[in-house]
Amino acid sequence: MASSSKKTRGKQKIEIKIIENEDDRLISFSKRCFGIYKKISELSTLCGSEILFIIFSPKGKPYSFAHPSTEFLTKRFLNPNQPLHETTDAPVEAYCK
């Protein structure tokens, strides 16, 4: 039978506040950053969306995720009036038509 004493606390709700211990803060950032990347990748794949995501670590190091590419999306962001036929997303073009 299962032991009555648990080895882990399991999934618990945590209070949202700054993590005082710097090492714990960096570990939490790393884990949560990976989770965000995974969700952004899923969103891009499932919806055919163009995504540019930039986040800075507590140490100031930038991390980014872009689909289809950082250069393409930066140009698109700087020129939002770019026609859809110049993009790489055929499903979005078909939907708009």
Side-chain angles (χ1 to χ4, degrees):
M1 291 201 147
S3 171
S4 62
S5 63
K6 293 175 97 177
K7 293 185 180 184
T8 64
R9 296 185 336 182
K11 187 174 181 180
Q12 294 184 342
K13 192 167 204 156
I14 62 165
E15 181 182 351
I16 302 299
K17 64 178 183 174
I18 188 104
I19 300 171
E20 298 298 330
N21 184 317
E22 188 174 349
D23 290 337
D24 291 346
R25 189 177 330 141
L26 291 173
I27 291 168
S28 182
F29 173 82
S30 176
K31 288 179 181 179
R32 288 178 178 259
C33 193
F34 175 76
I36 290 172
Y37 280 170
K38 186 175 177 183
K39 291 292 184 185
I40 291 171
S41 177
E42 290 172 3
L43 178 66
S44 174
T45 302
L46 293 173
C47 301
S49 56
E50 297 171 348
I51 297 176
L52 176 59
F53 176 78
I54 302 171
I55 187 169
F56 290 88
S57 74
K59 295 282 189 181
K61 184 177 178 184
Y63 294 85
S64 66
F65 176 92
H67 183 270
S69 72
T70 305
E71 295 81 18
F72 174 81
L73 292 175
T74 304
K75 288 178 187 175
R76 173 124 170 146
F77 179 77
L78 294 173
N79 186 11
N81 297 325
Q82 179 182 16
L84 277 178
H85 71 276
E86 294 181 19
T87 67
T88 59
D89 287 319
V92 174
E93 292 176 28
Y95 174 77
C96 289
K97 289 180 183 177

